[in-house]
Amino acid sequence: MERLNILSQFEVFTTAPRDLREAMLEHGQVMRLESGARVFNEGDACQVVPFIGSGGVRVFKHNGARREVTLYHVGAGQSCVMTMSCTVNGCSYPASADVLPTGPLEFVGYPPQRMLGWIDKFPEMRSHYQQMMHQRMVHLFRIDRGPDVPRGWIGALRRSCCSALRAAACSHRV
């Protein structure tokens, strides 16, 4: 897929001011990962902020008993909220992610520092980040503790996301 085709799936791109659209086109790198590939490991530093054009990603956490708990999926027309959160908060990934086995992942990627600059400079990018955080928070509050999820784990994850959302809202006020 071409950069413009991928980015056209994102409201933040289609409604952005001209200077942000031009910067996103100029600085974005089209990337591809094959199905089943590891996108990132727990503890890794964020290397790229993806805007997904096709394919999908499963974000998961090991629960300590050699089982994986799926946190969420990211697909075409979406960005990874964990990546954005790690970028904004300057922390490493608290989970891992793999490309779904249904096909390759194609996305436009940006260096985290560039994304941080855009979040600071453009209200549209800040809003994009905050909307993603909100959507994932709503998703997390709907998760029930199943047999694979350790006691207290979902609550800790919810508190972590609330803290990240508050930090982003407070540090990026206009």
Side-chain angles (χ1 to χ4, degrees), residues 77-123:
Q78 297 179 320
S79 299
C80 179
V81 69
M82 188 173 297
T83 298
M84 291 288 273
S85 178
C86 289
T87 296
V88 167
N89 295 297
C91 59
S92 59
Y93 288 112
S96 299
D98 289 339
V99 177
L100 293 174
T102 54
L105 176 70
E106 292 184 309
F107 60 95
V108 174
Y110 298 97
Q113 286 305 103
R114 184 165 307 279
M115 187 58 60
L116 251 174
W118 289 343
I119 288 171
D120 284 339
K121 182 177 180 180
F122 295 103

Side-chain angles (χ1 to χ4, degrees), residues 23-133:
M24 290 179 77
L25 284 169
E26 179 183 345
H27 298 289
Q29 180 180 356
V30 176
M31 304 173 95
R32 179 185 170 103
L33 294 173
E34 295 305 319
S35 64
R38 179 60 46 101
V39 180
F40 55 80
N41 286 301
E42 184 172 348
D44 286 352
C46 176
Q47 301 295 315
V48 64
V49 178
F51 283 68
I52 298 175
S54 64
V57 174
R58 179 178 75 99
V59 179
F60 62 93
K61 180 93 172 153
H62 291 279
N63 75 358
R66 294 185 185 220
R67 291 189 184 154
E68 296 173 350
V69 177
T70 298
L71 301 176
Y72 60 91
H73 291 88
V74 186
Q78 297 179 320
S79 299
C80 179
V81 69
M82 188 173 297
T83 298
M84 291 288 273
S85 178
C86 289
T87 296
V88 167
N89 295 297
C91 59
S92 59
Y93 288 112
S96 299
D98 289 339
V99 177
L100 293 174
T102 54
L105 176 70
E106 292 184 309
F107 60 95
V108 174
Y110 298 97
Q113 286 305 103
R114 184 165 307 279
M115 187 58 60
L116 251 174
W118 289 343
I119 288 171
D120 284 339
K121 182 177 180 180
F122 295 103
E124 297 82 4
M125 191 60 76
R126 198 166 32 256
S127 176
H128 173 70
Y129 168 72
Q130 291 170 336
Q131 286 172 1
M132 283 192 313
M133 290 298 293

Side-chain angles (χ1 to χ4, degrees), residues 12 21 58 62 64-65 90-91 113 121 130 132-133 135 138 145 158 171-173:
V12 67
R21 280 194 318 272
R58 179 178 75 99
H62 291 279
C91 59
Q113 286 305 103
K121 182 177 180 180
Q130 291 170 336
M132 283 192 313
M133 290 298 293
Q135 289 168 353
V138 169
R145 190 176 96 70
R158 289 174 180 155
S171 64
H172 297 292
R173 292 190 184 196

